[in-house]
Amino acid sequence: MTSLPPPTQFHEDPVLGALCAAACTITGATSGWVIAVVDDRLQVVAARGPLGGRVRGLAVGVDGSAGFVAASGQPMAISPRPDDANVAGGVLGALGVVPASLLALPCNDGDEIVGVLELVDKSGGDRFTFDDVELATLLASVAGPALAQRADVPAAPSPDAVAVQLRALAADEPARYAQIAWTISHLLASA
Amino acid sequence: MPEQPTAQPTGQPTDDERPAFTRDTTMVRLGSVEPLESLTPSWAWGGATGEGIRVAVIDSGIEADHPLLEGCVEVDDGVVVTQGADGEQIVTPGPHPDVFGHGTACAGIIHAIAPRARITSVRVLGPRLSGRGDVFLRGLQWAIEQGFHVVNMSLGSTRRDFALAFHDLCDEAYFRNTVLVTAANNVQMPSFPSLYASVLSVACNTTTDPFRYHYNPEPPTEFLARGIDVEVAWKGGGTSTATGNSYAAPHITGLVALIRSKHPDLRSFQLKTVLWSCSANVAEAPVRAGRFGTVNARASRIMRTLDTHTSPH
């Protein structure tokens, strides 16, 4: 079993987060995540639910259910057995979890598969239905362009990261730091 | 001076003077043919097992030793298609595992319907996501070159730059009498090769009967078969319950294997007609009012049969 990496700087795109939340609500999934295709790897870029909180920012290979969906362009809606080898890889493998039900859909930007929307554990222990497939497919079709646009926008650094950079600037270029500090305080005062 | 054609004594033009399409059609005269009303499920696949039929499953591989497959997989004849460092497609023959489970599921459905058909794995899905369209194309090309009777493709490509290449391959398969069965895309966007007239494109219906399928009068998806909550063979020797058009296509593949084993001379378009005729909704649809009034197709066949046997000559 692959152990989860320590949490790194993670900035969730609000659109992808909202789509993920909507997909969970509309299908009754307990947890879900949006995965971006990055070369031959998959990376979780938005997540919801108790399992989702554990996988934000996680990068995995293509050997699991999401990998199949990304490779084939076919959705997957299964109720895996406890010993199902197919869920031993990818995000679920990293979690060490075998969900009672799983639904994974490709996210397209134009005719290119750019990600996967994966939902697990439909509430009540039920299986994901064909209606769930169709509803979640609509959301996945919106997630695709959102994923593609996300790649064009660099992630903004966190406030802590900015503070580190400013302290370094204050030590190395005090005049420059003073100028920036004056500008920021002036902007805040006029806001 | 050019040689003048010799006119027939009756004044009719010679063979050299006629357009090609009007020439003597002796060579295309047929023997006996089956009338449409005979195309029932019993006629089509009654008693058939898929014996003598080779099926290719283009997918993620097949777990050949899965207990539900009962040794139906031609292990040594399978191939793995990958993309090399220079972008070329590499076809590697020999045994290989199922990397995802999906191919095993499809093979299991086909085997359950056509238990004596021999199934060969063409693995086009693997650990790399790049180049998958080219790999898929090469896998399909290989299967056509090998002369399989039926090819199951429960996957597709949405890349429009592959559309023409898939179209050409599908036409080639059609003329070589290799029947291609594909899963329709689950989303509302073009997916190749499921859009082409030369293939059998399949989506889900709501039935639980693996032999009950429907004709869809609004193509490109032409048939609807069982694909919801299907108990399927899965990677690791076990089973899973799966939903999707992916699992509908192999139901039709299995039926095609049965039909072809019983009627080996049928061409692809004839197979499609047989499938149409045996569809549940066609059999149950009211026929146009005729001698027997408005009845469904099944009743009409019965009445015609009775009429034939009881009418004075």
Side-chain angles (χ1 to χ4, degrees):
Chain A
M1 182 181 74
T2 306
S3 57
L4 292 172
T8 56
Q9 188 172 324
F10 180 79
H11 305 284
E12 184 177 275
D13 182 283
V15 173
L16 293 172
L19 287 168
C20 190
C24 288
T25 301
I26 208 168
T27 61
T30 307
S31 296
W33 37 84
V34 177
I35 302 169
V37 173
V38 183
D39 296 327
D40 286 330
R41 303 268 299 168
L42 304 175
Q43 183 171 27
V44 178
V45 295
R48 287 293 182 274
L51 293 179
R54 297 167 56 189
V55 299
R56 287 195 178 95
L58 178 67
V60 296
V62 299
D63 55 337
S65 49
F68 168 76
V69 172
S72 68
Q74 292 288 314
M76 177 181 283
I78 61 171
S79 297
R81 304 289 190 198
D83 58 347
D84 191 329
N86 190 59
V87 294
V91 174
L92 294 168
L95 283 170
V97 166
V98 178
S101 55
L102 179 152
L103 173 59
L105 304 126
C107 302
N108 285 72
D109 178 48
D111 55 8
E112 190 76 25
I113 298 173
V114 296
V116 177
L117 171 63
E118 189 163 63
L119 308 169
V120 297
D121 291 330
K122 187 175 172 75
S123 59
D126 296 332
R127 288 192 285 263
F128 288 106
T129 65
F130 201 71
D131 287 342
D132 292 333
V133 174
E134 295 197 322
L135 288 169
T137 295
L138 294 174
L139 293 170
S141 67
V142 180
L147 277 166
Q149 290 175 15
R150 173 192 170 274
D152 297 328
V153 178
S158 67
D160 288 343
V162 173
V164 167
Q165 293 172 12
L166 288 173
R167 279 195 285 272
L169 188 65
D172 297 339
E173 296 181 65
R176 177 76 175 143
Y177 172 77
Q179 189 177 42
I180 291 173
W182 181 88
T183 303
I184 292 174
S185 61
H186 216 74
L187 285 170
L188 290 172
S190 61
Chain B
M1 187 175 185
E3 188 175 313
Q4 298 297 315
T6 304
Q8 298 294 328
T10 59
Q12 295 299 314
T14 65
D15 280 349
D16 289 338
E17 294 171 313
R18 287 194 195 126
F21 58 81
T22 67
R23 294 204 183 135
D24 182 29
T25 54
T26 304
M27 63 183 295
V28 297
R29 287 180 186 155
L30 303 175
S32 62
V33 294
E34 204 70 37
L36 280 176
E37 46 265 38
S38 298
L39 304 184
T40 62
S42 177
W43 176 89
W45 62 72
T49 60
E51 180 80 41
I53 298 301
R54 297 169 59 234
V55 180
V57 174
I58 300 180
D59 213 296
S60 60
I62 300 174
E63 193 167 280
D65 58 354
H66 195 291
L68 290 179
L69 295 180
E70 302 174 310
C72 71
V73 180
E74 297 285 5
V75 178
D76 295 329
D77 293 350
V79 297
V80 174
V81 186
T82 54
Q83 187 175 59
D86 296 331
E88 78 281 15
Q89 313 313 312
I90 303 170
V91 179
T92 305
H96 52 267
D98 184 343
V99 294
F100 290 115
H102 190 260
T104 302
C106 294
I109 293 170
I110 297 166
H111 175 66
I113 293 178
R116 298 300 297 268
R118 303 300 298 170
I119 300 177
T120 300
S121 170
V122 182
R123 195 176 89 187
V124 299
L125 300 177
R128 296 193 60 194
L129 296 178
S130 53
R132 50 189 182 270
D134 292 300
V135 169
F136 183 16
L137 272 170
R138 182 66 186 102
L140 175 57
Q141 183 182 40
W142 182 88
I144 296 169
E145 290 168 350
Q146 301 306 309
F148 285 93
H149 297 100
V150 200
V151 177
N152 187 88
M153 292 180 286
S154 286
L155 70 169
S157 174
T158 52
R159 292 275 303 275
R160 272 165 284 204
D161 48 351
F162 289 119
L164 184 57
F166 272 116
H167 188 276
D168 288 350
L169 276 180
C170 290
D171 271 1
E172 182 181 345
Y174 177 88
F175 291 119
R176 285 186 179 219
N177 211 22
T178 291
V179 179
L180 304 182
V181 183
T182 73
N185 201 343
N186 293 271
V187 302
Q188 291 293 331
M189 70 180 300
S191 175
F192 311 103
S194 68
L195 295 181
Y196 299 135
S198 51
V199 307
L200 296 174
S201 181
V202 188
C204 290
N205 62 14
T206 57
T207 185
T208 57
D209 182 349
F211 286 85
R212 183 176 173 84
Y213 65 95
H214 298 82
Y215 166 68
N216 178 28
E218 297 182 14
T221 300
E222 291 185 294
F223 294 100
L224 309 173
R226 185 181 181 217
I228 296 176
D229 292 341
V230 185
E231 190 81 3
V232 296
W234 205 255
K235 182 179 171 183
T239 61
S240 187
T241 303
T243 291
N245 294 343
S246 289
Y247 312 105
H251 282 86
I252 297 297
T253 299
L255 286 173
V256 170
L258 290 179
I259 297 169
R260 294 205 75 174
S261 70
K262 190 173 179 182
H263 306 282
D265 295 333
L266 290 180
R267 304 291 302 184
S268 295
F269 73 94
Q270 293 169 312
L271 270 160
K272 200 177 273 196
T273 301
V274 171
L275 285 171
W276 167 85
S277 181
C278 297
S279 301
N281 53 339
V282 170
E284 295 162 7
V287 297
R288 290 192 181 87
R291 293 180 57 200
F292 308 115
T294 302
V295 296
N296 66 34
R298 185 176 292 135
S300 176
R301 288 192 195 114
I302 293 170
M303 287 180 171
R304 284 204 188 93
T305 303
L306 290 172
D307 191 52
T308 301
H309 287 124
T310 58
S311 295
H313 297 286

